[in-house]
Amino acid sequence: MFLQIFFGYCALMIIASGILAISLRNPVHCVLMVLVLFFHMAGLYLTLNAEFLAAVQIIVYAGAILVLYLFVLFLVSLREELHLDAFIPNPWVGRIIAVGLALALVYVTPAFTLGEKGTWSTAAINELTHTKAMGQEMYSTYLLPFEIAGLILLVALVGGLVLARRDEGKIEEAETTSDQQPGPKEVTL
């Protein structure tokens, strides 16, 4: 009974904090709502007896990813961003689109079928622990998709470094032009 009440609480808090994260005007408050969402997601993992995933959720997402969001917020000029025109000028158009997408999701949900059962029984997972079972499955059965995901992340990292790199010639040119102060020119006779 307690698990059902806790699941309902976590589910309602996830929905509420998700809605608040996209509807609040202050970006820092939006990030704090995402933090609440991440902690309640970790709570849902605990109800599934997946303690490792709950710890990873808190360490990686609530720790690292959220700090990255905050750095971006503080580095971007928010005053200029808040004065941009909205992508959809009328908020009712966005609400109608959201309701349409929700109805499409409800329409498609009955067609969802469960996949095949895995090779791991509950007794085998309890004997070996969740983390070891997940590691054995990831590094044996799903090794190729794991390596492909690693290569995609490596390509994204290299692409980000290439985009962030500054050309030395342009930097030196900008420094030399900024050193030359405009002023009265000397005239020699």
Side-chain angles (χ1 to χ4, degrees):
M1 180 70 181
F2 172 74
L3 284 178
Q4 292 174 341
I5 293 171
F6 185 70
F7 176 83
Y9 163 74
C10 286
L12 287 175
M13 285 301 293
I14 288 170
I15 292 169
S17 59
I19 290 171
L20 286 173
I22 61 171
S23 61
L24 290 175
R25 295 285 296 166
N26 190 339
V28 177
H29 293 161
C30 294
V31 170
L32 291 176
M33 285 297 110
V34 172
L35 177 67
V36 171
L37 186 140
F38 286 157
F39 274 110
H40 285 87
M41 286 287 296
L44 282 184
Y45 289 141
L46 288 176
T47 62
L48 297 172
N49 293 327
E51 295 85 9
F52 176 73
L53 288 179
V56 167
Q57 175 78 24
I58 291 174
I59 292 169
V60 173
Y61 285 100
I65 301 296
L66 221 59
V67 169
L68 178 70
Y69 287 169
L70 285 174
F71 275 128
V72 168
L73 283 178
F74 292 137
L75 291 176
V76 171
S77 175
L78 292 178
R79 290 183 183 155
E80 294 174 9
E81 296 293 327
L82 291 177
H83 295 296
L84 293 175
D85 293 333
F87 181 69
I88 299 176
N90 189 352
W92 283 103
V93 174
R95 291 179 184 134
I96 291 171
I97 292 172
V99 168
L101 289 174
L103 290 175
L105 180 66
V106 168
Y107 179 73
V108 172
T109 301
F112 176 75
T113 58
L114 292 176
E116 296 179 16
K117 285 195 168 199
T119 57
W120 291 87
S121 66
T122 307
I125 291 175
N126 287 336
E127 179 184 328
L128 196 62
T129 71
H130 288 86
T131 309
K132 286 183 183 177
M134 186 172 57
Q136 283 184 357
E137 194 70 19
M138 186 185 316
Y139 293 122
S140 60
T141 307
Y142 297 104
L143 182 63
L144 183 62
F146 182 76
E147 294 293 332
I148 290 171
L151 286 175
I152 291 171
L153 290 173
L154 178 66
V155 167
L157 176 71
V158 171
L161 289 173
V162 167
L163 289 173
R165 185 182 58 133
R166 296 181 181 172
D167 290 334
E168 295 297 326
K170 290 183 180 178
I171 292 173
E172 290 173 4
E173 181 180 309
E175 288 175 357
T176 56
T177 56
S178 66
D179 290 341
Q180 299 172 355
Q181 297 292 331
K185 297 197 178 204
E186 295 180 15
V187 179
T188 56
L189 296 172

